[in-house]
Amino acid sequence: MPYEVTRTTLRGMTHLPPPAEELRLLDAELRQLDARRAQLLTRRAWLVAALHRTQQPSPAAPSPAAPPRPEAAAPSVQNMLLVLGGVLLTLAAAVFTLVSWGDMGITGRALVLGAVTLAALAVPAPLLKRGLRSTAESVAGLGLALTVLDAYALREAALTGTDGAGYAAAAAAVLAVIWSAYGLLPATTALRLPLPSALAAAQFPLLLWALAADAGPYVITAALLVTAGLDAVAALRVTAGSVRIVAVVGAYAMGGWGVLAAGWLSFAADGPGAAARAGGLLLLAAVIALGAAWRVPGPGVRHALGLAAASGLLTVGALGGVARFGVPTEWAVPVHLALGVALLAGLRAGRLLPDPVRHGAAWASAVVQALALVWALPVVALVVMGPAGWLGRVWSGAPSDARAAVAVEAPWPSDAAAAPVVLLAVAAVLASAVRAEQWRPRARLGALGLLWAAALLLPAILAVPHLAGMSVLGVMTAAALYLGRTTTSGTRVTALVLALVTAVDLTLVSLASQTATLVVLSVLTALPAAASWRAGLAPFTAPAALVYAAALASATGAAADWPPARTALLVLAVPVAAALLAPRLAASRATVPVEAVGAAAGLLAVGLAVTDPPLLALVLALCGVIAAGTALRPERRPVGYAATALFVLAAWVRLAAWEVGTPEAYTLPVTVPALLVGALRRRRDPRTSSWTAYGAGLAATLLPSLVAAWADPHWTRPLLLGTAALLVTLLGARHHLQAPLVLGGSVLALVTLHELAPYVVQVTGALPRWAPPALAGLLLLALGATYEQRIRDVRRVREVLGRMN
């Protein structure tokens, strides 16, 4: 059927009314609903009021209180009562056994205690059948406690001559067997207390038998480890949760105790035999940990990883403890490191080992390598920081070799020869063993740092001549700067840091000799400067070159026996170089560091010249010239303020050196530039306030001169100041500028008052006493009349505005 025919047919089949009719019906329904809603709300309000009147309590009758909420659930109360009852019965049985035992005969004692024990062990079965599980657990706990008292009573009654430790071992073993059998009986298999208790009792037989036999520490440690191994087997084989928890706790506790004891025996071994026995114990612990890691189920992957790592560490400790007796003392750490690196073979095992075991071996190897690096760290720190001792012995004479150059105030360690081997071995592992894409770049950077540290140690370890050692450091600095040319940001930053540390170390070592200092500082100035042609290195190397240039200038002045103030002129070459170099580095990240180093060098020059005022004035003026040249750049216009301040300071220092005491000599160098700057600013922006443009400049001279004029008994200064103030006032009036008008007029009035003060005093003394009050009255009348006139004028303006409205 065609589409139009279908739509026409469907439109004709609809039964909806027209829109206008449907809208009328909806409005009618809504009106009915609104009316019904209003009725219902009225009825509801009446009902609420009626209920409020009937239920409102009288003033004398208190409102009923809500029932108290129980603070403890019924099962909690039940368990508390059962536990408390079991504890009390156990204490009662203990008191009976320990205190009242002697009041009965041998037969009575056995019958009473045995009967009570059998009853306590037999009652849980019927209680379980009745569903009283908690009560059965409490009674079973009492029965287990009574068996312990039975064992104690048996020894006190019939076996008093036996050894205490041996009897305790046998009793613990028997109790473990009895409790296990009791927990496995069909009638009591639902009890959760006997089997964990049996496993807890099984922790002591081997240890107590070893103590009873007066065994040595090796046997006692073996007993601890064997017990831990049995606990590990139980933890892996038993399915009951409570038994597994006790087994895990026992395995970790006894195993940890045994590992600590074996480790101490290995550390304190005085010969290969003792070390071999201790190593065997450590290997036993390693085997137990490895077996547990191998069998741990999937959800316990973290436990497996930790156990495998512990197994690897124990293996390294066992073999390394034996091997250290066959090598010199300083090579003990490299031997342990070699064993730790050998653990990485587990990563190549593939499917032969579970993943947690392989990864645990890798973590154990990493821990061994980290500990080896910690052992080598003091030697590296001595080589890097030891030359700082030359700061107190500058140019005292070159040392005999590179070792004496670094061990200035600290003794050279006897085992330092093995440190480079450790560093190189770990570097090789990082470079070759790390295969993950995420960690491989970081590992290579770490290997680069370790290689650098090993190369830094070699001159001191080999005790090469002092000049050769400094040459090695110079070559390392150049190589690090060349490596910084790479495009990888991580490698570039690492290379620059290594270059900086090596350069600082070389600088400190060179302080022993004057010639070496000058040569090294010259080389270290040239190397970063040459590397600065690379845009990626310039933000680091250009400032470093300027820093070494400042150090070279200072050292040159000291070598020439110049005073510090004279050396400051050499140091100023660094700010000049920075000011000339900065425009060439426009839009570069090196611009700000270069300018910052230049400013710091300028401050150094000022500090060196502070003891000689004439030279200090010259240095400040030169710094002002440098700052003014920098301010010519459009983006450095604010530096002009610093240039002005430097020029002013230079003028002040020069005047102070000439012993000039006239304040105008100090203030006019400030006023003239300030007024020029203000005039330029108003020309650029006519809306600038005269106070902003000229206020500071005029006040800098007028106010100090006014203070000096009031204390000056002569007429020259007041006359000149008054003339200047009059000119400023006239200029302010001519150009309608508030700041010159106010400041000039105020100073002119005060100077005039100062000059006319003696005559005013004479006139005041000649007037009669009634004249001052009369003059004050006239002044007040004049002010009042003026005030009234102003009010009348305001009223007239208001009326005019009213008529306008």
Side-chain angles (χ1 to χ4, degrees), residues 185-563:
L185 292 175
T188 57
T189 187
L191 295 175
R192 291 179 291 184
L193 188 60
L195 292 180
S197 301
L199 187 57
Q203 306 299 312
F204 303 101
L206 291 179
L207 177 61
L208 293 176
W209 272 326
L211 293 175
D214 292 331
Y218 295 95
V219 177
I220 295 175
T221 304
L224 292 172
L225 294 176
V226 171
T227 303
L230 296 176
D231 288 333
V233 173
L236 295 171
R237 293 297 182 89
V238 177
T239 57
S242 57
V243 180
R244 178 176 293 179
I245 292 175
V246 174
V248 170
V249 173
Y252 279 112
M254 303 301 262
W257 192 5
V259 166
L260 290 177
W264 173 254
L265 291 174
S266 178
F267 177 77
D270 54 358
R277 290 193 295 272
L281 294 174
L282 289 174
L283 286 178
L284 175 60
V287 170
I288 294 173
L290 180 61
W294 203 306
R295 298 296 181 181
V296 167
V301 62
R302 292 186 177 180
H303 292 282
L305 185 64
L307 290 171
S311 176
L313 293 175
L314 292 172
T315 303
V316 171
L319 299 179
V322 176
R324 65 188 174 94
F325 286 97
V327 296
T329 306
E330 63 269 18
W331 294 100
V333 173
V335 168
H336 284 80
L337 178 60
L339 295 172
V341 173
L343 292 176
L344 294 176
L347 291 175
R348 310 294 184 185
R351 297 182 179 180
L352 297 178
L353 297 175
D355 288 342
V357 175
R358 295 191 298 110
H359 295 158
W363 277 106
S365 177
V367 171
V368 173
Q369 295 177 56
L371 293 175
L373 290 179
V374 170
W375 173 83
L377 186 60
V379 183
V380 178
L382 176 61
V383 173
V384 173
M385 303 176 63
W390 290 108
L391 292 174
R393 308 178 184 183
V394 177
W395 297 351
S396 59
S400 58
D401 52 33
R403 181 178 299 177
V406 298
V408 181
E409 297 180 354
W412 182 255
S414 58
D415 54 355
V421 177
V422 171
L423 297 174
L424 292 174
V426 178
V429 171
L430 289 176
S432 60
V434 179
R435 299 298 181 88
E437 293 295 332
Q438 179 182 1
W439 295 100
R440 189 169 180 79
R442 303 176 187 178
R444 288 183 174 178
L445 293 179
L448 176 62
L450 294 176
L451 288 174
W452 168 84
L456 193 66
L457 296 182
L458 287 178
I461 291 176
L462 299 177
V464 301
H466 179 53
L467 181 59
M470 288 194 301
S471 301
V472 171
L473 293 176
V475 172
M476 291 177 61
T477 304
L481 289 175
Y482 182 80
L483 184 62
R485 295 160 57 91
T486 181
T487 58
T488 306
S489 59
T491 306
R492 181 167 58 249
V493 173
T494 304
L496 290 173
V497 171
L498 297 181
L500 175 62
V501 175
T502 311
V504 172
D505 198 36
L506 176 57
T507 304
L508 295 174
V509 170
S510 69
L511 294 177
S513 171
Q514 175 178 313
T515 305
T517 301
L518 297 176
V519 172
V520 166
L521 291 178
S522 300
V523 172
L524 292 180
T525 302
L527 283 178
S532 298
W533 292 105
R534 298 282 298 185
L537 298 180
F540 307 95
T541 55
L546 293 176
V547 169
Y548 277 106
L552 177 60
S554 302
T556 303
D561 291 331
W562 287 1

Side-chain angles (χ1 to χ4, degrees), residues 12 26 60 72 153 210 293 302 349-350 371 374 469 544 618 669 684 688 756 788 798:
L26 290 176
R302 292 186 177 180
L371 293 175
V374 170
L618 178 59
R684 194 180 307 116
T688 303
L756 297 178
E788 183 180 4
R798 186 190 306 167

Side-chain angles (χ1 to χ4, degrees), residues 3-156:
Y3 175 76
E4 286 77 13
V5 176
T6 304
R7 187 169 61 179
T8 303
T9 305
L10 291 175
R11 185 182 298 116
M13 293 174 62
T14 56
H15 299 285
L16 294 176
E21 181 65 18
E22 184 178 1
L23 181 61
R24 186 185 64 78
L25 294 176
L26 290 176
D27 290 338
E29 291 289 338
L30 289 174
R31 283 194 296 271
Q32 294 178 3
L33 289 175
D34 290 338
R36 182 57 179 168
R37 185 173 184 275
Q39 295 176 359
L40 293 176
L41 288 175
T42 303
R43 180 62 178 171
R44 180 182 181 279
W46 184 88
L47 292 174
V48 169
L51 289 175
H52 183 70
R53 287 192 300 270
T54 57
Q55 294 183 0
Q56 185 174 8
S58 62
S63 58
R69 183 180 179 181
E71 297 182 357
S76 300
V77 176
Q78 165 196 309
N79 294 334
M80 185 64 186
L81 294 176
L82 292 176
V83 171
L84 183 60
V87 170
L88 292 177
L89 288 176
T90 303
L91 292 176
V95 171
F96 170 77
T97 304
L98 299 175
V99 178
S100 302
W101 183 258
D103 298 337
M104 302 177 64
I106 185 67
T107 305
R109 303 173 197 169
L111 290 176
V112 170
L113 197 57
V116 173
T117 303
L118 291 176
L121 294 176
V123 168
L127 290 177
L128 290 174
K129 290 183 179 180
R130 294 176 176 269
L132 303 176
R133 183 188 183 90
S134 300
T135 306
E137 293 283 356
S138 300
V139 177
L142 174 62
L144 299 181
L146 289 175
T147 56
V148 178
L149 295 178
D150 289 339
Y152 172 78
L154 178 63
R155 182 176 184 277
E156 291 296 324

